[in-house]
Amino acid sequence: MLTIQNLTISSGSQLLVNGLNLELRAGEWLALAGESGSGKTLAAASIGGLLPRGISYRGTLNWKGTDLTNLPPARRRKLLGLEIRYIFQDYQGAFTPFITIGKQLDELLSTHTDLDRHARRALGIEALERVNLPGDRVYRSYPFQLSGGQLQRATIASALMLHPALIIADEPTTALDSLTAQRVLKLIAAAKERMNTSVLWITHDLRHVRKYADRVAVMCRGELVEQGTKDEVLYTPSHPYTKRLIAAIPPLSPDAPERLGQMPLSRRLKEGALK
Amino acid sequence: MRIITKHDLQAGRKLQRPASVAPILLAMSVLALIMAAPALAPYDPYNVAIGERLKAPGAGHWLGTDHLGRDLLSRIISGIRTTLGTSLLILACSMLIGVPLGLLSGYLGGLCDRVFKRAVDAFMTLPDYIFAIVLSGLLGPGLINLLSAVIAVKWVSYARLARSIVLLEKQKEYIALATLSGVSPHRIVIKHILPHTWGNVLVLAALDLGKIILMIASLSYIGLGPQPPAAEWGSMLNEGRLYYHTAPHLMLVPGLAIMLTVLLANIAGDRLRDKYDVRNKERA
Amino acid sequence: MLRSIGKKLLELLLFFLLMSVVSFCLLKLVPGDPVRSILRVDDVAVSNEQLEAMRDQLGLNKPLIVQYGIWLKQLVQLDLGHSLITHRSVFTEFAGKLPYTLSLTGGSLIVMLLIAMPLGTLSALYRDRWIDRLSRTISLIGSSLPSFWLGLLLIQLFAVRLRMLPPMGEGSILHLILPSLTLGLAMSAVYVRLIRSSLIESASQDFVASARARGLHPARVFLFHTFRHSLVPLITVFSGSMGSLLGGTVVIEVLFAYPGIGKWIVDAIAARDYPVIQGYILFMSVFIVSINVLVEMSYRWINPEIASKGKEIG
């Protein structure tokens, strides 16, 4: 559905992403892992044409047969509103602080759909309720009146509201506590099941990857170093960088002992590979 | 998502640009100019020569003469001392009054500081410009009165700045360490806190200089400044406007002198602010 | 809520009381004798008996605190005394002059907005391009100009050379153009920079990036998200500079012989017309404080977060 070929992102003479190739199929959850600065966020931003000024990219971005690199602005906006939705790490910055959540959902709907006022309101409240928020109240609230977890769920409600084909979630859980993070991921997973939405999940933390992702791609210093099914990447990593990332996972889940047993091995491998 | 913003990139670019010291050097040479002003003037700025009156710029009198036949260039040069010299004096006095008071209030804290803060806040609500006009008007026209009036409205902002810096520094660990190791309080203020205030005070002063020059010039223009025959750029404009038709240079030259001086002061202030990055500190 | 309003009112009351003390004491402290200046108006030799009689008549022989009490009592009844020169009530004089100054202030605000808004916005949108450099240079030069000099030049150009506009005085809307233009131009120099930096700051906020990532039209994002966010610092600075704006009107009114409160006070100072000066200081503080209250209310509209926390800015 989304094919990225030979994507190169640069700022001036500085190369930030180098020749990235990635494919995302319909209904697939792909985790794009790597440390901060590895270029994963920039790669994700380039899909929607959201790179900041001064940063340019080359390569092919193919979305269902259309080339995303040369999209006219109006077409791109429609695409961002209806088909590809972003969820960002900083939920505080997801909504404009001085406009109610309802108004911002309404703004989104009136920009991208022809629904009348009542239908838009109903749809907005329904979307909020689908992420287990008290729809009516949140609809009337300002962002600062919600807790962090509520805000991130409202963001997800906004992202899922128009049944997008792809959700690009850029570290959606990093700023949340682990219980809230679980809930957020479950919400995305449920939406994926219900609407066959693809998910591109940017993360630096492989903790939850095994539970939610179908495939994993690992980036390091602007290059893709490894990709495969989650089992391949997590249990038989081939690149030393991936091994280091896996080794850095703290034991957390109830089935951790089984994983713990593997970690000394990978650590030994890592140390061997590094020397 | 932590997108690298344009801001970050621009900030990075700015750092690479070498800090220009030219305006600061210029300011220094202006100071030297103030000192040397009387020696530089080709004529006596107060020498009345009715036969030579309202001459256009040319040989002999480079910038022409005024309505009393006085050499305009000499008057502009001697005006450096009155206008710029006065402004710098006002700045110095405001700092000397404001900074120690602010430091003291901030350092002592408690009731004393609260009263001080209230007073300063009430003072800041007053429009300084109007206050200066009323005050200098009541004191009567004249350079000294003008000076006192402007100082009376200007020192407050320095006190406020110094106080806020002390409060900021007091929270830092090194002050607590110094106190714990038995350094005496006034030593802490002088050795540790005062150096931190200089950069900020300097930036405020540089940005203020232009405003003070403009304030003095406009107060002089409405007749509250030094009295004739003193050469002050604002009052020269006041005298010159009557002769605009026959001698336009009488209005253009002093105005340009004010503008260039303020422009230089503003550029220097901007550079200093970039250097010390005061605005970012204020935001934080 | 009620308590915070009550506290605010009490603070305001204290502030006005303080101002009344300041303006009262100021005039007692400065050199000069109002009685002499009143009698000097007639330009005849003044005998000591006359001086004493006048002092008694004005109550200047009573102790200071009693004088203040009398003055304050009249003040509460909105009676600010009578001008020593025109013998008209200070309040009526002020009310008569205020519209002139208000229309001048309004006119220069319009000029300022018409110039600074587009220039500042363009500067922010096309950062570091030629239009930005140009408008920054203009604003740097503009903020270095003495406003009265700019006024003189404008008079020469539009009134003397082109004969398009009346050079001074008042009477028609045409008389308002040159003073407003002068003050507006001088002000816009500062505001171009402010609007620019405020917009750039707002545009770098995460919520702006989020709004664009929702596929909203850039114009819509700018108007409803970026711009409104940048209003808070702008209005803060604006309310803070209200004083210098009013100060600016003084010089401009003198320059254009425009009969507003600025020219009124300068004339009053020259004549040592004490009741007028006292009244003026009080009027100005009331005016500026009311502006500040209005500004605080506008924050609540611009940013509901401030309203909900009852927090003040600046």
Side-chain angles (χ1 to χ4, degrees), chain A residues 71-89:
Chain A
L71 225 48
R75 177 78 190 83
R76 162 158 291 144
R77 290 198 297 273
K78 267 271 172 297
L79 186 86
L80 283 173
L82 296 171
E83 295 183 53
I84 302 178
R85 291 301 312 271
Y86 280 83
I87 299 171
F88 298 132
Q89 168 189 341

Side-chain angles (χ1 to χ4, degrees), chain A residues 129-190:
Chain A
E129 276 165 356
R130 211 178 265 284
V131 295
N132 307 323
L133 286 170
D136 208 43
R137 190 179 68 77
V138 173
Y139 196 84
R140 276 182 283 112
S141 299
Y142 289 100
F144 61 87
Q145 292 168 324
L146 304 179
S147 72
Q150 284 177 320
L151 208 52
Q152 188 61 304
R153 274 186 283 157
T155 317
I156 290 167
S158 148
L160 298 178
M161 190 164 58
L162 287 171
H163 298 218
L166 168 64
I167 286 179
I168 299 177
D170 188 345
E171 313 239 2
T173 59
T174 310
L176 300 170
D177 64 83
S178 63
L179 271 178
T180 320
Q182 289 278 6
R183 264 159 96 188
V184 162
L185 288 174
K186 271 185 190 139
L187 281 171
I188 300 178

Side-chain angles (χ1 to χ4, degrees), chain A residues 101-120:
Chain A
I101 302 282
K103 270 203 176 138
Q104 299 192 57
L105 295 181
D106 189 72
E107 185 183 37
L108 177 67
L109 290 173
S110 66
T111 306
H112 297 296
T113 68
D114 299 326
L115 297 171
D116 67 48
R117 203 157 52 86
H118 298 289
R120 293 201 300 262

Side-chain angles (χ1 to χ4, degrees), chain C residues 236-253:
Chain C
T236 307
V237 173
F238 176 71
S239 75
S241 69
M242 214 48 217
S244 58
L245 171 59
L246 285 171
T249 60
V250 175
V251 181
I252 299 300
E253 283 177 12

Side-chain angles (χ1 to χ4, degrees), chain B residues 183-227:
Chain B
V183 182
S184 73
H186 73 267
R187 215 182 138 74
I188 291 181
V189 173
I190 289 169
K191 287 270 169 189
H192 297 269
I193 295 179
L194 199 59
H196 277 269
T197 53
W198 277 134
N200 294 285
V201 168
L202 214 63
V203 173
L204 180 63
L207 291 173
D208 243 7
L209 181 60
K211 284 183 207 150
I212 292 177
I213 296 174
L214 288 178
M215 193 188 260
I216 289 182
S218 57
L219 288 178
S220 301
Y221 179 78
I222 57 179
L224 295 172
Q227 296 304 291

Side-chain angles (χ1 to χ4, degrees), chain B residues 40-50 52-79 229 231 236 249-250 253-254:
Chain B
L40 288 173
Y43 294 88
D44 177 358
Y46 305 109
N47 188 22
V48 176
I50 298 297
E52 299 271 289
R53 70 193 295 261
L54 300 180
K55 274 204 166 169
H61 296 282
W62 286 0
L63 293 179
T65 59
D66 71 0
H67 60 294
L68 295 175
R70 296 173 293 195
D71 180 52
L72 193 58
L73 179 63
S74 306
R75 284 182 72 72
I76 291 285
I77 291 175
S78 105
M236 282 163 74
H249 61 278
L250 288 184
V253 173

Side-chain angles (χ1 to χ4, degrees), chain C:
Chain C
M1 189 66 191
L2 266 175
R3 251 185 79 185
S4 80
I5 290 176
K7 211 179 139 200
K8 198 92 215 153
L9 278 177
L10 195 72
E11 254 174 45
L12 277 183
L13 204 68
L14 274 174
F15 175 74
F16 289 135
L17 207 64
L18 184 77
M19 284 317 302
S20 74
V21 174
V22 167
S23 61
F24 184 81
C25 292
L26 193 69
L27 297 182
K28 297 291 160 193
L29 288 174
V30 293
D33 185 344
V35 178
R36 275 187 192 280
S37 42
I38 299 166
L39 293 174
R40 208 184 298 136
V41 175
D42 309 325
D43 218 7
V44 284
V46 186
S47 69
N48 275 339
E49 289 80 58
Q50 275 178 300
L51 277 179
E52 277 309 304
M54 195 69 175
R55 285 219 172 91
D56 267 341
Q57 190 195 324
L58 293 171
L60 292 174
N61 282 335
K62 299 192 180 94
L64 265 188
I65 185 86
V66 177
Q67 286 185 42
Y68 175 70
I70 294 171
W71 185 68
L72 195 64
K73 201 178 140 201
Q74 289 174 336
L75 185 66
V76 174
Q77 297 157 352
L78 283 184
D79 176 11
L80 287 155
H82 291 75
S83 159
L84 298 181
I85 310 294
T86 63
H87 302 292
R88 290 175 57 200
S89 137
V90 171
F91 194 83
T92 345
E93 286 223 326
F94 176 78
K97 312 263 178 196
L98 186 65
Y100 289 107
T101 297
L102 282 185
S103 49
L104 171 60
T105 319
S108 25
L109 281 179
I110 293 172
V111 172
M112 183 275 274
L113 286 175
L114 284 179
I115 296 170
M117 270 295 164
L119 267 186
T121 310
L122 282 175
S123 230
L125 289 179
Y126 300 98
R127 197 141 79 112
D128 291 334
R129 309 271 269 283
W130 66 269
I131 182 121
D132 180 29
R133 282 166 210 279
L134 183 74
S135 81
R136 276 157 74 190
T137 312
I138 292 176
S139 93
L140 185 64
I141 293 175
S143 58
S144 309
L145 280 177
S147 60
F148 59 94
W149 189 57
L150 183 67
L152 286 170
L153 295 182
L154 288 176
I155 291 178
Q156 290 305 329
L157 179 63
F158 288 107
V160 180
R161 287 274 155 81
L162 299 175
R163 297 185 180 281
M164 281 164 61
L165 295 164
M168 43 188 58
E170 53 84 32
S172 65
I173 187 105
L174 288 178
H175 285 88
L176 200 61
I177 294 179
L178 275 183
S180 305
L181 200 62
T182 308
L183 201 55
L185 278 170
M187 272 169 33
S188 52
V190 180
Y191 280 91
V192 167
R193 302 174 109 190
L194 250 162
I195 291 171
R196 173 183 183 271
S197 64
S198 179
L199 278 176
I200 287 175
E201 158 90 23
S202 297
S204 70
Q205 297 284 322
D206 283 342
F207 68 77
V208 173
S210 300
R212 303 195 78 145
R214 288 200 288 271
L216 301 179
H217 195 280
R220 187 179 183 91
V221 175
F222 178 79
L223 273 178
F224 294 99
H225 300 257
T226 317
F227 182 67
R228 190 164 152 194
H229 183 260
S230 69
L231 277 179
V232 170
L234 280 182
I235 289 180
T236 307
V237 173
F238 176 71
S239 75
S241 69
M242 214 48 217
S244 58
L245 171 59
L246 285 171
T249 60
V250 175
V251 181
I252 299 300
E253 283 177 12
V254 171
L255 172 66
F256 286 94
Y258 185 82
I261 45 176
K263 188 164 183 316
W264 182 51
I265 186 63
V266 172
D267 293 344
I269 292 171
R272 305 219 152 242
D273 194 345
Y274 284 19
V276 171
I277 302 172
Q278 280 172 329
Y280 176 82
I281 296 178
L282 275 179
F283 286 132
M284 283 300 112
S285 4
V286 172
F287 190 76
I288 282 163
V289 167
S290 351
I291 294 278
N292 288 346
V293 169
L294 280 179
V295 164
E296 224 165 89
M297 275 157 62
S298 79
Y299 287 147
R300 284 156 194 270
W301 169 76
I302 293 169
N303 193 348
E305 193 166 356
I306 296 168
S308 84
K309 286 183 185 164
K311 182 177 80 176
E312 286 171 41
I313 279 198

